[in-house]
């Protein structure tokens, strides 16, 4: 993981991106999200404060979901 960077520098994300890594973005309330570099970032509707920092982190490993149970008779 890299050090936190002030969100004012988010426009530089294309220079920082690497294969196998994503960006973790955090707001003032401590909420975070993982995303690829997208300068026109769309924030989740539940966020009530703007992003304040970001960092480059290893992309989470994919995981399998559990099968959907069959309907009960």
């Amino acid at each position: 993981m890299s050090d936190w960077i002030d969100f004012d520098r988010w426009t530089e994300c294309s220079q920082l991106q690497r294969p196998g890594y994503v960006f973790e973005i955090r707001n003032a309330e401590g909420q975070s999200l993982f995303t690829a570099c997208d300068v026109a970032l769309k924030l989740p509707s539940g966020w009530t404060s703007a992003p304040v920092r970001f960092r480059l982190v290893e992309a989470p490993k994919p995981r399998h979901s559990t099968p959907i149970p069959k309907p009960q008779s």
Side-chain angles (χ1 to χ4, degrees), residues 31-50:
Q31 295 171 305
S32 66
L33 66 90
F34 296 108
T35 185
C37 176
D38 182 4
V39 177
L41 180 67
K42 293 197 176 215
L43 298 174
S45 59
W47 278 32
T48 56
S49 64

